[in-house]
Amino acid sequence: MTPLPDCFCPVDGTRVASESLAWCCPVCRGPLDLDFAPTPAPLKSLGGRVNSLWRYAETLPLATPSVSLGEGRTPLVALTDGVSAKLDFLMPTLSFKDRGAVLLAELALRLRPRQVLSDSSGNAGTAIAAYCARAALPCTVYVPEGTSPKKLEQIGAHGARVHVVEGDREATARAAREAADEPEVFYASHVFNPYFLHGTKTYVHELWEDLGGRLPEVLVLPVGNGTLLLGAALAVAELFAAGLIDRRPALYAVQTAAVAPLAHAWQEGADDLVGVTPTAPTVAEGIAIPRPPRARQILRAVRDSGGRFLTVTEDQIRHAQLDLASQGLYVESTGVVCWAAVREGVLGARGAVVPLCGAGLKTGLADG
């Protein structure tokens, strides 16, 4: 079995051994990164490989998967005005979170904890529950009160224990992290564990392959905790370092105007979150994150790419959801925020790609 790479803290450099169940930096309690710099395979060598994200094995910190559900390789379809959509809601659990969840489940199998624990507003918890079921690992998912009943039903159907926390998404995360400090617990955090990011990066590796060895000028990505955007930045860096692309696309990060701490920091020219940003209720529950732990990394990734932050209103989200449904694509409200931004004509560049991250059946149509 291939040795696992160690983790390290991007803030203070503290290292965490690969076999450890530590979920954060022991010094600053921040998220970890992975000491792993892979070289992707050239385009011509991908033919005939397994039709899942595991076809990019050279870029993944784990090999020979045992819990795969065929995740990845989602379709790329044209919308309008030169914009395409990647249908990441066509995953085993109906959201893009499967890309990272499968790596966390594989890692947990290697580490053999007493319990797997996750916290989520719904989709990440569902994905963790599904892959833990596949791996026969006991799983508990912490969710905030008010989580979509359909998502709760899906988590429970996979055999996971659902722990509902009184309060919002941040209160849920605090409760989960406290429980994660208990002995023999593997915290399958899609925010703190870097393996998740190395799963979400396959979104861009697939785009690169499907576009014949190139990437679009602009990647438009939803941002709450930033796991898809940071994964995209990893993939872009890998492809560029290997000489497989000759330019890096700009990363455009989309937040709901109701909860936009990163967009606010961007407008202030800050390198980290600035003060307490006012929040309001939003139909985009999956990205309603007031204080994302990887804020500095997200802001830096967007800045280094030459990208920017965009915000969309509740009405724009609702209209975008209905617009996509009229084109045959039923996507949950969080999953349409990128299309909501593009529909406003703010990009000024053709050839952009937007992800449609979660199926509409998870939440139904946004009220309004």
Side-chain angles (χ1 to χ4, degrees):
M1 189 176 293
T2 305
L4 299 175
D6 287 343
C7 295
F8 69 94
C9 175
V11 175
D12 56 39
T14 301
R15 297 187 70 82
V16 175
S18 60
E19 66 274 11
S20 172
L21 286 173
W23 58 269
C24 66
C25 172
V27 177
C28 71
R29 302 283 287 180
L32 297 170
D33 282 348
L34 207 57
D35 189 3
F36 181 61
T39 300
L43 189 66
K44 63 182 180 181
S45 72
L46 297 177
R49 293 192 179 191
V50 61
N51 194 37
S52 73
L53 63 81
W54 295 94
R55 71 197 279 112
Y56 312 107
E58 292 87 350
T59 71
L60 298 174
L62 291 161
T64 60
S66 57
V67 301
S68 176
L69 292 167
E71 56 286 331
R73 300 298 294 144
T74 53
L76 186 65
V77 301
L79 294 177
T80 58
D81 298 325
V83 178
S84 297
K86 189 157 174 59
L87 310 191
D88 255 25
F89 64 89
L90 298 180
M91 289 275 196
T93 76
L94 307 181
S95 93
F96 87 96
K97 296 291 177 61
D98 291 1
R99 293 186 183 276
V102 66
L103 264 74
L104 293 185
E106 288 287 347
L107 178 60
L109 270 179
R110 303 279 186 97
L111 300 178
R112 289 293 175 185
R114 170 180 56 84
Q115 176 74 217
V116 175
L117 184 148
S118 176
D119 63 290
S120 169
S121 59
N123 283 341
T126 297
I128 297 297
Y131 284 95
C132 281
R134 184 75 166 175
L137 291 166
C139 178
T140 298
V141 180
Y142 284 57
V143 298
E145 58 184 354
T147 297
S148 164
K150 295 179 181 180
K151 292 180 180 179
L152 296 179
E153 178 183 343
Q154 193 177 5
I155 292 170
H158 291 305
R161 174 175 172 262
V162 178
H163 185 102
V164 179
V165 177
E166 293 184 8
D168 59 12
R169 183 66 183 84
E170 285 200 319
T172 303
R174 287 193 298 270
R177 291 166 197 166
E178 182 177 343
D181 285 329
E182 296 179 6
E184 297 183 74
V185 170
F186 176 78
Y187 183 27
S189 171
H190 59 293
V191 182
F192 279 76
N193 194 306
Y195 279 81
F196 196 91
L197 305 181
H198 283 270
T200 62
K201 74 182 181 184
T202 57
Y203 170 87
V204 167
H205 284 290
E206 289 178 19
L207 275 184
W208 169 78
E209 182 182 1
D210 290 341
L211 295 175
R214 65 176 184 85
L215 289 175
E217 294 179 16
V218 173
L219 292 173
V220 190
L221 302 155
V223 173
N225 277 310
T227 55
L228 184 55
L229 185 140
L230 290 173
L234 280 173
V236 168
E238 291 169 2
L239 291 166
F240 187 78
L244 296 175
I245 54 173
D246 57 10
R247 57 168 180 78
R248 302 177 189 234
L251 304 179
Y252 278 48
V254 183
Q255 296 206 283
T256 166
V259 186
L262 291 159
H264 175 67
W266 177 266
Q267 292 167 356
E268 296 294 320
D271 294 329
D272 204 343
L273 300 179
V274 178
V276 178
T277 306
T279 62
T282 177
V283 295
E285 61 181 10
I287 57 171
I289 310 296
R291 300 195 65 81
R294 293 188 184 268
R296 291 182 66 88
Q297 289 177 278
I298 298 165
L299 289 161
R300 184 171 65 248
V302 173
R303 185 173 292 111
D304 289 349
S305 77
R308 56 185 288 202
F309 278 82
L310 308 169
T311 60
V312 290
T313 67
E314 300 299 291
D315 280 345
Q316 288 170 339
I317 294 170
R318 294 186 183 98
H319 293 156
Q321 187 182 36
L322 291 172
D323 182 39
L324 285 172
S326 74
Q327 299 183 57
L329 301 169
Y330 189 34
V331 184
E332 69 172 331
S333 48
T334 298
V336 306
V337 296
C338 292
W339 180 236
V342 170
R343 287 180 78 235
E344 297 303 307
V346 296
L347 295 183
R350 295 176 62 83
V353 173
V354 299
L356 304 182
C357 296
L361 292 175
K362 286 176 170 283
T363 57
L365 289 173
D367 296 330

